[in-house]
Amino acid sequence: MKILVTGGAGFIGSAFVRLVVAETGWEVVNLDKLTYAGNLENLADVESSGRYRFVHGDIADQAAVGALVAEAKPDAIVHFAAESHVDRSILSPEPVI
């Protein structure tokens, strides 16, 4: 099984990625834009795994996501990427919408 995880460097996404790598034999491709919420240090435990790969990118980039899906051929996509911080959404609602 191969899964594509969006937002896998964030708090919840990285916990999911670490769990999948530790508890299954699945391959994980992690697509993250690395905004204020994403931190690759959250994934230090799995970065050397042969079943984990990080891709820096934006889910809003349709061409990049399409190319990644075509290349990786995931069995499933698990979506954690979001712009949902309340203070940031008040200051700049466009990314949240």
Side-chain angles (χ1 to χ4, degrees):
M1 177 87 147
K2 181 186 285 187
I3 59 172
L4 171 61
V5 177
T6 66
F11 180 74
I12 296 171
S14 65
F16 178 79
V17 168
R18 290 190 310 270
L19 178 72
V20 168
V21 172
E23 302 290 328
T24 74
W26 299 356
E27 293 179 52
V28 178
V29 178
N30 173 15
L31 175 65
D32 200 295
K33 187 177 175 182
L34 295 179
T35 63
Y36 66 91
N39 185 346
L40 289 178
E41 290 178 19
N42 294 337
L43 297 158
D45 294 348
V46 298
E47 68 184 358
S48 63
S49 171
R51 293 181 293 108
Y52 171 77
R53 178 169 65 125
F54 173 74
V55 177
H56 185 228
D58 187 346
I59 62 168
D61 183 341
Q62 185 176 4
V65 172
L68 179 59
V69 169
E71 178 266 320
K73 296 180 177 51
D75 297 296
I77 298 173
V78 182
H79 177 62
F80 292 108
E83 289 281 346
S84 61
H85 191 272
V86 174
D87 293 342
R88 290 179 186 269
S89 70
I90 292 168
L91 295 173
S92 182
E94 291 85 12
V96 178
I97 295 169

Coordinates of all heavy atoms in Angstrom, one line a residue:
M1 N 0.9 -1.2 0.0 CA 0.0 0.0 0.0 C 0.9 1.2 0.0 O 1.9 1.3 0.7 CB -0.9 0.0 1.2 CG -1.8 1.2 1.4 SD -3.3 0.9 0.5 CE -4.4 1.8 1.5
K2 N 0.5 2.2 -0.8 CA 1.3 3.5 -0.8 C 0.2 4.6 -0.6 O -0.8 4.6 -1.3 CB 2.0 3.7 -2.2 CG 2.8 5.0 -2.2 CD 3.3 5.3 -3.6 CE 4.5 4.4 -3.9 NZ 5.2 4.7 -5.2
I3 N 0.5 5.5 0.3 CA -0.4 6.6 0.5 C 0.4 7.9 0.3 O 1.6 8.1 0.5 CB -1.0 6.6 1.9 CG1 0.1 6.6 3.0 CG2 -1.9 5.4 2.1 CD1 -0.5 6.8 4.4
L4 N -0.4 8.9 -0.2 CA 0.1 10.3 -0.3 C -0.6 11.1 0.8 O -1.8 11.0 0.9 CB -0.4 10.9 -1.7 CG -0.1 12.4 -1.9 CD1 1.3 12.7 -1.8 CD2 -0.7 12.8 -3.2
V5 N 0.2 11.7 1.6 CA -0.3 12.5 2.7 C 0.0 14.0 2.4 O 1.1 14.3 2.1 CB 0.4 12.1 4.1 CG1 -0.1 13.0 5.2 CG2 0.1 10.6 4.4
T6 N -1.1 14.8 2.5 CA -0.9 16.2 2.3 C -0.8 16.8 3.7 O -1.6 16.5 4.6 CB -2.0 16.9 1.5 OG1 -3.2 16.8 2.2 CG2 -2.2 16.2 0.1
G7 N 0.1 17.8 3.9 CA 0.2 18.4 5.2 C 0.9 17.5 6.2 O 0.6 17.7 7.4
G8 N 1.7 16.6 5.8 CA 2.3 15.6 6.7 C 3.4 16.2 7.5 O 3.9 15.4 8.4
A9 N 3.8 17.4 7.4 CA 4.8 18.0 8.3 C 4.1 18.8 9.4 O 4.8 19.3 10.3 CB 5.7 18.9 7.5
G10 N 2.8 18.9 9.4 CA 2.1 19.7 10.5 C 2.0 18.8 11.7 O 2.4 17.6 11.7
F11 N 1.4 19.3 12.7 CA 1.2 18.6 14.0 C 0.5 17.3 13.9 O 1.0 16.2 14.2 CB 0.5 19.5 15.0 CG 0.3 18.9 16.4 CD1 1.4 18.7 17.2 CD2 -0.9 18.4 16.8 CE1 1.3 18.1 18.5 CE2 -1.1 17.8 18.0 CZ 0.0 17.7 18.9
I12 N -0.7 17.3 13.3 CA -1.5 16.1 13.2 C -1.0 15.2 12.1 O -0.9 14.0 12.2 CB -3.0 16.4 13.0 CG1 -3.5 17.1 14.2 CG2 -3.8 15.2 12.7 CD1 -4.9 17.7 14.1
G13 N -0.7 15.8 10.9 CA -0.2 15.1 9.8 C 1.1 14.3 10.1 O 1.3 13.2 9.7
S14 N 2.0 14.9 10.8 CA 3.3 14.3 11.1 C 3.1 13.1 12.1 O 3.7 12.1 12.0 CB 4.3 15.3 11.7 OG 3.9 15.8 12.9
A15 N 2.1 13.3 13.0 CA 1.8 12.2 13.9 C 1.2 11.0 13.1 O 1.6 9.8 13.4 CB 0.8 12.6 15.0
F16 N 0.4 11.3 12.1 CA -0.1 10.2 11.3 C 1.0 9.5 10.5 O 1.0 8.3 10.4 CB -1.2 10.8 10.4 CG -1.8 9.8 9.4 CD1 -2.7 8.9 9.8 CD2 -1.3 9.7 8.1 CE1 -3.3 8.0 8.9 CE2 -1.8 8.8 7.2 CZ -2.8 7.9 7.6
V17 N 1.9 10.3 9.9 CA 3.0 9.8 9.1 C 3.8 8.9 10.0 O 4.2 7.7 9.6 CB 3.8 10.9 8.5 CG1 5.1 10.3 7.9 CG2 3.0 11.6 7.4
R18 N 4.2 9.4 11.2 CA 5.0 8.6 12.1 C 4.4 7.2 12.4 O 5.0 6.2 12.5 CB 5.4 9.3 13.3 CG 6.4 10.5 13.0 CD 6.9 11.1 14.3 NE 5.9 11.5 15.3 CZ 5.3 12.7 15.3 NH1 5.6 13.6 14.5 NH2 4.4 12.9 16.3
L19 N 3.1 7.3 12.7 CA 2.3 6.1 13.1 C 2.3 5.1 11.9 O 2.5 3.9 12.1 CB 0.9 6.5 13.5 CG 0.0 5.3 13.8 CD1 0.3 4.7 15.1 CD2 -1.5 5.8 13.8
V20 N 2.0 5.6 10.7 CA 1.9 4.7 9.6 C 3.3 4.0 9.3 O 3.4 2.8 9.1 CB 1.5 5.4 8.3 CG1 1.7 4.6 7.0 CG2 0.0 5.9 8.5
V21 N 4.4 4.8 9.4 CA 5.7 4.2 9.1 C 6.0 3.2 10.2 O 6.6 2.1 9.9 CB 6.8 5.3 9.0 CG1 8.2 4.7 8.9 CG2 6.5 6.2 7.7
A22 N 5.7 3.5 11.5 CA 6.0 2.6 12.6 C 5.2 1.4 12.7 O 5.6 0.3 13.0 CB 5.9 3.4 13.9
E23 N 3.9 1.5 12.3 CA 3.0 0.4 12.5 C 2.5 -0.4 11.3 O 1.8 -1.4 11.4 CB 1.7 1.0 13.2 CG 2.0 1.7 14.5 CD 2.4 0.8 15.6 OE1 1.9 -0.4 15.7 OE2 3.2 1.2 16.5
T24 N 2.9 0.0 10.1 CA 2.5 -0.7 8.9 C 3.7 -0.9 8.0 O 4.8 -0.4 8.3 CB 1.5 0.1 8.1 OG1 2.1 1.2 7.5 CG2 0.3 0.6 9.0
G25 N 3.6 -1.6 6.9 CA 4.6 -1.7 5.9 C 4.4 -0.8 4.7 O 5.0 -1.0 3.7
W26 N 3.5 0.2 4.9 CA 3.1 1.1 3.8 C 4.2 2.0 3.5 O 5.0 2.4 4.3 CB 1.8 1.9 4.2 CG 0.6 1.0 4.5 CD1 0.5 -0.3 4.4 CD2 -0.6 1.5 4.9 NE1 -0.8 -0.7 4.7 CE2 -1.5 0.4 5.1 CE3 -1.1 2.8 5.2 CZ2 -2.8 0.6 5.5 CZ3 -2.4 3.0 5.6 CH2 -3.3 1.8 5.8
E27 N 4.2 2.5 2.2 CA 5.0 3.6 1.7 C 4.2 4.9 1.9 O 3.0 4.9 1.7 CB 5.3 3.4 0.3 CG 6.2 2.2 0.0 CD 6.5 2.1 -1.5 OE1 6.9 3.1 -2.1 OE2 6.2 1.1 -2.1
V28 N 4.9 5.9 2.3 CA 4.3 7.2 2.5 C 5.0 8.3 1.7 O 6.2 8.4 1.8 CB 4.3 7.6 4.0 CG1 3.7 9.0 4.3 CG2 3.6 6.6 4.9
V29 N 4.3 9.0 0.9 CA 4.8 10.2 0.2 C 4.1 11.4 0.9 O 2.9 11.5 1.0 CB 4.4 10.2 -1.3 CG1 4.9 11.4 -2.0 CG2 5.0 8.9 -1.9
N30 N 4.9 12.3 1.4 CA 4.4 13.4 2.2 C 4.6 14.7 1.4 O 5.7 15.1 1.1 CB 5.2 13.5 3.5 CG 4.9 14.8 4.3 OD1 3.9 15.4 4.1 ND2 5.7 15.1 5.3
L31 N 3.5 15.3 1.0 CA 3.5 16.6 0.3 C 3.1 17.7 1.2 O 2.0 17.7 1.8 CB 2.4 16.5 -0.9 CG 2.2 17.8 -1.7 CD1 3.5 18.2 -2.4 CD2 1.1 17.7 -2.6
D32 N 4.0 18.6 1.4 CA 3.8 19.7 2.3 C 4.4 21.0 1.8 O 5.5 21.0 1.3 CB 4.4 19.4 3.7 CG 3.8 20.2 4.8 OD1 4.0 21.5 4.8 OD2 3.1 19.7 5.7
K33 N 3.7 22.1 2.0 CA 4.2 23.4 1.6 C 5.2 24.0 2.6 O 5.9 25.0 2.2 CB 3.0 24.4 1.4 CG 3.3 25.7 0.8 CD 2.0 26.5 0.6 CE 2.3 27.9 0.1 NZ 1.0 28.6 0.0
L34 N 5.2 23.5 3.8 CA 6.1 24.0 4.8 C 5.8 25.5 5.1 O 6.7 26.3 5.1 CB 7.6 23.8 4.5 CG 8.0 22.3 4.4 CD1 9.5 22.2 4.1 CD2 7.7 21.6 5.7
T35 N 4.6 25.8 5.5 CA 4.2 27.1 5.9 C 4.6 27.2 7.4 O 5.3 26.3 7.9 CB 2.7 27.4 5.7 OG1 2.0 26.5 6.5 CG2 2.3 27.3 4.3
Y36 N 4.0 28.2 8.1 CA 4.2 28.3 9.5 C 3.9 27.0 10.3 O 4.4 26.8 11.4 CB 3.4 29.5 10.1 CG 2.0 29.2 10.0 CD1 1.3 28.7 11.1 CD2 1.2 29.6 8.9 CE1 -0.1 28.4 11.0 CE2 -0.1 29.3 8.8 CZ -0.8 28.7 9.8 OH -2.1 28.5 9.8
A37 N 3.0 26.2 9.8 CA 2.5 25.1 10.5 C 3.3 23.8 10.3 O 3.3 22.9 11.0 CB 1.0 24.8 10.2
G38 N 4.1 23.8 9.2 CA 4.8 22.6 8.9 C 6.3 22.7 9.4 O 6.9 23.7 9.3
N39 N 6.7 21.5 9.9 CA 8.1 21.5 10.5 C 8.7 20.1 10.2 O 8.2 19.1 10.8 CB 8.0 21.8 12.0 CG 9.4 21.9 12.6 OD1 10.4 21.5 12.0 ND2 9.4 22.4 13.8
L40 N 9.7 20.0 9.4 CA 10.3 18.8 9.1 C 11.0 18.1 10.3 O 11.2 16.9 10.3 CB 11.3 18.9 8.0 CG 10.7 19.2 6.6 CD1 11.8 19.4 5.6 CD2 9.8 18.1 6.2
E41 N 11.2 18.8 11.4 CA 11.8 18.2 12.6 C 10.8 17.3 13.2 O 11.2 16.3 13.9 CB 12.2 19.3 13.6 CG 13.4 20.1 13.2 CD 13.7 21.2 14.2 OE1 13.3 21.2 15.3 OE2 14.4 22.1 13.8
N42 N 9.5 17.5 12.9 CA 8.4 16.5 13.4 C 8.6 15.2 12.8 O 8.1 14.2 13.3 CB 7.0 17.0 13.0 CG 6.7 18.3 13.7 OD1 7.2 18.7 14.7 ND2 5.7 19.1 13.1
L43 N 9.4 15.1 11.7 CA 9.5 13.8 11.0 C 10.9 13.2 11.0 O 11.2 12.3 10.3 CB 9.1 14.0 9.5 CG 7.6 14.4 9.4 CD1 7.4 15.2 8.1 CD2 6.7 13.2 9.5
A44 N 11.7 13.7 12.0 CA 13.1 13.2 12.1 C 13.1 11.7 12.3 O 14.1 11.0 11.8 CB 13.8 13.9 13.2
D45 N 12.2 11.1 13.0 CA 12.1 9.7 13.3 C 12.0 8.8 12.0 O 12.3 7.7 12.0 CB 11.0 9.4 14.2 CG 11.2 9.9 15.6 OD1 12.3 10.5 15.9 OD2 10.3 9.9 16.4
V46 N 11.4 9.4 11.0 CA 11.1 8.6 9.8 C 11.8 9.0 8.5 O 11.8 8.3 7.5 CB 9.5 8.6 9.5 CG1 8.7 8.0 10.6 CG2 9.1 10.0 9.1
E47 N 12.6 10.1 8.6 CA 13.2 10.6 7.4 C 14.2 9.6 6.7 O 14.4 9.7 5.5 CB 13.9 12.0 7.6 CG 15.1 11.9 8.5 CD 15.6 13.3 8.8 OE1 15.1 14.3 8.3 OE2 16.6 13.4 9.6
S48 N 14.7 8.8 7.5 CA 15.7 7.8 7.0 C 15.0 6.5 6.5 O 15.7 5.6 6.0 CB 16.8 7.5 8.0 OG 16.3 6.9 9.1
S49 N 13.7 6.4 6.7 CA 13.0 5.2 6.3 C 13.0 5.1 4.8 O 12.7 6.1 4.1 CB 11.6 5.2 6.9 OG 10.9 4.1 6.3
G50 N 13.2 3.9 4.3 CA 13.1 3.7 2.9 C 11.7 3.7 2.4 O 11.4 3.7 1.2
R51 N 10.7 3.8 3.3 CA 9.3 3.8 2.9 C 8.7 5.2 3.0 O 7.5 5.4 2.9 CB 8.5 2.8 3.8 CG 8.9 1.4 3.5 CD 8.0 0.4 4.4 NE 8.4 0.5 5.8 CZ 7.5 1.0 6.7 NH1 6.4 1.5 6.4 NH2 7.9 1.1 8.0
Y52 N 9.5 6.2 3.3 CA 9.1 7.6 3.5 C 9.8 8.5 2.5 O 11.0 8.4 2.3 CB 9.3 8.1 4.9 CG 9.1 9.5 5.1 CD1 7.8 10.0 5.2 CD2 10.1 10.4 5.1 CE1 7.5 11.4 5.3 CE2 9.9 11.8 5.2 CZ 8.6 12.3 5.3 OH 8.3 13.6 5.4
R53 N 9.0 9.4 1.9 CA 9.6 10.4 1.0 C 8.9 11.7 1.2 O 7.6 11.8 1.3 CB 9.4 10.0 -0.5 CG 10.0 11.0 -1.4 CD 10.1 10.5 -2.9 NE 8.8 10.2 -3.4 CZ 8.3 10.7 -4.6 NH1 9.1 11.5 -5.3 NH2 7.2 10.3 -5.0
F54 N 9.6 12.8 1.3 CA 9.1 14.1 1.4 C 9.1 14.9 0.1 O 10.2 14.8 -0.6 CB 9.9 15.0 2.5 CG 9.4 16.4 2.5 CD1 8.2 16.8 3.1 CD2 10.2 17.4 1.9 CE1 7.8 18.1 3.1 CE2 9.8 18.7 1.9 CZ 8.6 19.1 2.5
V55 N 8.0 15.5 -0.2 CA 8.0 16.4 -1.4 C 7.5 17.8 -1.0 O 6.4 17.9 -0.4 CB 7.0 15.8 -2.5 CG1 6.9 16.7 -3.7 CG2 7.4 14.4 -2.9
H56 N 8.3 18.8 -1.3 CA 8.0 20.2 -1.0 C 7.1 20.7 -2.1 O 7.5 20.7 -3.3 CB 9.2 21.0 -0.9 CG 8.9 22.4 -0.4 ND1 9.4 23.5 -1.0 CD2 8.2 22.9 0.6 CE1 9.0 24.6 -0.4 NE2 8.3 24.2 0.6
G57 N 5.8 21.0 -1.7 CA 4.9 21.5 -2.8 C 3.6 22.0 -2.1 O 3.3 21.8 -1.0
D58 N 2.8 22.6 -3.0 CA 1.6 23.2 -2.6 C 0.4 22.5 -3.2 O 0.4 22.3 -4.4 CB 1.6 24.7 -3.1 CG 0.4 25.5 -2.6 OD1 -0.6 25.0 -2.1 OD2 0.5 26.8 -2.7
I59 N -0.6 22.1 -2.4 CA -1.8 21.4 -2.9 C -2.6 22.2 -3.9 O -3.4 21.7 -4.6 CB -2.6 20.8 -1.8 CG1 -3.2 21.9 -0.9 CG2 -1.9 19.8 -1.0 CD1 -4.3 21.5 0.0
A60 N -2.4 23.5 -3.8 CA -3.1 24.4 -4.7 C -2.5 24.5 -6.1 O -3.1 25.0 -7.1 CB -3.1 25.9 -4.2
D61 N -1.3 23.9 -6.3 CA -0.6 23.8 -7.6 C -1.1 22.5 -8.3 O -0.6 21.4 -8.1 CB 0.9 23.8 -7.4 CG 1.7 23.7 -8.7 OD1 1.1 23.4 -9.7 OD2 2.9 24.1 -8.6
Q62 N -2.2 22.7 -9.1 CA -2.8 21.5 -9.7 C -1.9 20.7 -10.6 O -1.9 19.5 -10.5 CB -4.0 22.0 -10.5 CG -4.8 20.9 -11.1 CD -6.1 21.4 -11.8 OE1 -6.3 22.6 -12.0 NE2 -6.9 20.5 -12.3
A63 N -1.0 21.4 -11.3 CA -0.1 20.6 -12.2 C 0.9 19.8 -11.4 O 1.2 18.7 -11.7 CB 0.7 21.6 -13.1
A64 N 1.4 20.4 -10.3 CA 2.4 19.7 -9.5 C 1.8 18.5 -8.8 O 2.4 17.4 -8.7 CB 3.0 20.6 -8.5
V65 N 0.6 18.7 -8.3 CA -0.1 17.6 -7.6 C -0.5 16.5 -8.6 O -0.3 15.3 -8.3 CB -1.4 18.1 -6.9 CG1 -2.2 16.9 -6.3 CG2 -1.0 19.0 -5.7
G66 N -0.9 16.9 -9.8 CA -1.3 15.9 -10.8 C 0.0 15.1 -11.2 O -0.1 13.8 -11.4
A67 N 1.1 15.8 -11.4 CA 2.3 15.1 -11.7 C 2.8 14.1 -10.6 O 3.2 13.0 -10.9 CB 3.4 16.1 -12.0
L68 N 2.7 14.6 -9.4 CA 3.0 13.7 -8.2 C 2.2 12.5 -8.1 O 2.6 11.4 -7.9 CB 3.0 14.5 -6.9 CG 3.4 13.7 -5.7 CD1 4.8 13.2 -5.8 CD2 3.2 14.6 -4.4
V69 N 0.9 12.7 -8.3 CA -0.1 11.5 -8.3 C 0.2 10.5 -9.4 O 0.3 9.3 -9.2 CB -1.5 12.0 -8.3 CG1 -2.5 10.8 -8.5 CG2 -1.9 12.7 -7.0
A70 N 0.5 11.1 -10.6 CA 0.8 10.2 -11.7 C 2.1 9.4 -11.5 O 2.2 8.3 -11.9 CB 0.9 11.1 -13.0
E71 N 3.1 10.1 -10.9 CA 4.4 9.5 -10.7 C 4.4 8.5 -9.5 O 4.9 7.4 -9.6 CB 5.5 10.6 -10.4 CG 6.8 10.0 -10.1 CD 7.1 9.9 -8.6 OE1 6.7 10.8 -7.9 OE2 7.7 8.9 -8.2
A72 N 3.8 8.9 -8.4 CA 3.8 8.1 -7.2 C 2.7 6.9 -7.2 O 2.9 5.9 -6.6 CB 3.5 8.9 -5.9
K73 N 1.6 7.2 -7.9 CA 0.6 6.2 -8.0 C 0.1 5.7 -6.7 O 0.1 4.5 -6.4 CB 1.0 5.0 -8.9 CG 1.2 5.4 -10.4 CD 1.6 4.2 -11.2 CE 1.8 4.5 -12.6 NZ 2.7 5.6 -13.0
P74 N -0.4 6.6 -5.8 CA -0.8 6.2 -4.5 C -2.1 5.4 -4.5 O -2.9 5.6 -5.4 CB -1.0 7.5 -3.7 CG -1.3 8.5 -4.8 CD -0.5 8.1 -6.0
D75 N -2.2 4.5 -3.5 CA -3.5 3.8 -3.4 C -4.5 4.6 -2.7 O -5.7 4.4 -2.9 CB -3.3 2.5 -2.6 CG -2.3 1.6 -3.3 OD1 -2.7 1.1 -4.4 OD2 -1.2 1.3 -2.8
A76 N -4.1 5.6 -1.9 CA -5.0 6.5 -1.2 C -4.3 7.8 -0.9 O -3.1 7.9 -0.9 CB -5.4 5.8 0.1
I77 N -5.1 8.8 -0.8 CA -4.7 10.2 -0.4 C -5.3 10.5 0.9 O -6.5 10.5 1.1 CB -5.0 11.2 -1.5 CG1 -4.3 10.8 -2.8 CG2 -4.6 12.6 -1.0 CD1 -4.7 11.7 -4.0
V78 N -4.5 10.9 1.9 CA -5.0 11.4 3.2 C -4.6 12.8 3.3 O -3.5 13.2 3.2 CB -4.3 10.5 4.3 CG1 -4.9 11.0 5.7 CG2 -4.5 9.1 4.1
H79 N -5.7 13.6 3.5 CA -5.5 15.1 3.4 C -5.5 15.8 4.8 O -6.5 15.7 5.6 CB -6.7 15.7 2.6 CG -6.7 17.1 2.5 ND1 -5.7 17.9 1.9 CD2 -7.6 18.0 2.9 CE1 -6.0 19.1 2.0 NE2 -7.1 19.3 2.6
F80 N -4.4 16.3 5.2 CA -4.2 17.1 6.4 C -3.9 18.5 6.2 O -3.8 19.3 7.1 CB -3.2 16.5 7.3 CG -3.6 15.1 7.9 CD1 -2.9 14.0 7.5 CD2 -4.5 15.0 8.9 CE1 -3.3 12.7 8.0 CE2 -4.9 13.8 9.4 CZ -4.2 12.7 9.0
A81 N -3.5 18.9 4.9 CA -3.1 20.3 4.6 C -4.2 21.2 4.8 O -5.3 21.0 4.3 CB -2.6 20.4 3.2
A82 N -4.0 22.3 5.6 CA -5.0 23.3 5.8 C -4.4 24.6 6.3 O -3.3 24.6 6.9 CB -6.0 22.8 6.9
E83 N -5.1 25.7 6.0 CA -4.8 27.0 6.5 C -5.9 27.3 7.5 O -7.0 27.8 7.0 CB -4.7 28.1 5.4 CG -3.5 27.9 4.5 CD -2.2 28.5 5.2 OE1 -2.3 29.2 6.2 OE2 -1.1 28.2 4.7
S84 N -5.8 27.0 8.7 CA -6.9 27.1 9.6 C -6.6 27.9 10.9 O -7.5 28.0 11.7 CB -7.4 25.8 9.9 OG -6.5 25.0 10.6
H85 N -5.5 28.4 11.1 CA -5.1 29.2 12.3 C -6.1 30.4 12.4 O -6.1 31.2 11.5 CB -3.7 29.6 12.3 CG -3.2 30.1 13.6 ND1 -3.3 31.4 13.9 CD2 -2.6 29.5 14.6 CE1 -2.8 31.6 15.1 NE2 -2.4 30.5 15.6
V86 N -6.8 30.5 13.5 CA -7.8 31.5 13.6 C -7.3 32.9 13.4 O -7.8 33.7 12.7 CB -8.6 31.4 15.0 CG1 -9.6 32.5 15.2 CG2 -9.3 30.1 15.0
D87 N -6.2 33.3 14.1 CA -5.7 34.6 14.0 C -5.3 35.0 12.6 O -5.5 36.0 12.1 CB -4.5 34.8 14.9 CG -4.9 34.8 16.4 OD1 -6.1 34.9 16.7 OD2 -4.0 34.5 17.2
R88 N -4.6 34.0 11.9 CA -4.2 34.2 10.5 C -5.4 34.4 9.6 O -5.4 35.1 8.6 CB -3.3 33.1 10.1 CG -1.9 33.2 10.7 CD -1.1 32.0 10.2 NE 0.2 31.9 11.0 CZ 1.3 32.6 10.6 NH1 1.3 33.3 9.5 NH2 2.4 32.4 11.3
S89 N -6.5 33.6 9.9 CA -7.7 33.7 9.0 C -8.4 35.0 9.1 O -9.0 35.5 8.2 CB -8.6 32.6 9.3 OG -9.3 32.7 10.6
I90 N -8.3 35.7 10.2 CA -8.9 37.0 10.4 C -8.0 38.1 9.7 O -8.6 38.9 9.0 CB -9.0 37.4 11.9 CG1 -10.0 36.5 12.6 CG2 -9.3 38.8 12.1 CD1 -10.0 36.5 14.1
L91 N -6.7 37.9 9.8 CA -5.8 38.9 9.1 C -5.8 38.7 7.6 O -5.7 39.7 6.9 CB -4.4 38.8 9.7 CG -4.2 39.1 11.1 CD1 -2.8 38.8 11.6 CD2 -4.5 40.6 11.4
S92 N -5.9 37.5 7.1 CA -5.8 37.3 5.7 C -6.7 36.0 5.4 O -6.3 34.9 5.4 CB -4.4 37.0 5.3 OG -4.4 36.8 3.9
P93 N -8.0 36.3 5.1 CA -8.9 35.1 4.9 C -8.7 34.4 3.6 O -9.2 33.2 3.5 CB -10.3 35.8 4.9 CG -10.1 37.2 4.6 CD -8.7 37.5 5.0
E94 N -8.1 35.0 2.6 CA -8.0 34.3 1.3 C -7.4 32.9 1.3 O -7.9 32.0 0.7 CB -7.2 35.2 0.3 CG -8.0 36.4 -0.1 CD -7.8 37.6 0.8 OE1 -6.9 37.5 1.7 OE2 -8.5 38.6 0.8
P95 N -6.2 32.7 2.0 CA -5.7 31.3 2.0 C -6.6 30.3 2.7 O -6.5 29.1 2.4 CB -4.4 31.5 2.8 CG -4.0 32.9 2.8 CD -5.3 33.7 2.7
V96 N -7.4 30.7 3.7 CA -8.2 29.8 4.4 C -9.4 29.4 3.5 O -9.8 28.3 3.5 CB -8.7 30.5 5.7 CG1 -9.7 29.6 6.4 CG2 -7.5 30.8 6.6
I97 N -9.9 30.4 2.8 CA -11.1 30.1 1.9 C -10.6 29.2 0.7 O -11.2 28.3 0.4 CB -11.7 31.4 1.4 CG1 -12.3 32.1 2.6 CG2 -12.8 31.1 0.4 CD1 -12.7 33.5 2.4

